Amino acid sequence: MESGPEAFAGAAFALFGAGLLLWTGVCLRTGAPVAEGAGRVVGTVTALVFGAVFLGAGCWMLTRL
């Protein structure tokens, strides 16, 4: 019963992290800005760090089921 919310949260975190990393990669390839209003390097590094953190957290949650 308790693993249902944990599985949902893990999947949501993992999908968001993977999507953020994919978005960052596409923006870097096309030369589009990663975050509007932020510097190119700062936006890219921030997006990569948070994408990796969310993906790691989601995978960690899914392995604890």
Side-chain angles (χ1 to χ4, degrees):
M1 182 68 119
E2 294 295 321
S3 64
E6 187 174 352
F8 177 76
F13 273 69
L15 285 173
F16 178 74
L20 187 58
L21 290 173
L22 180 66
W23 170 262
T24 305
V26 168
C27 286
L28 286 176
R29 271 186 151 243
T30 61
V34 176
E36 191 170 331
R40 185 167 175 86
V41 174
V42 172
T44 302
V45 170
T46 304
L48 287 174
V49 166
F50 277 102
V53 166
F54 276 102
L55 183 61
C59 291
W60 177 75
M61 285 181 194
L62 290 173
T63 60
R64 295 189 41 104
L65 291 177

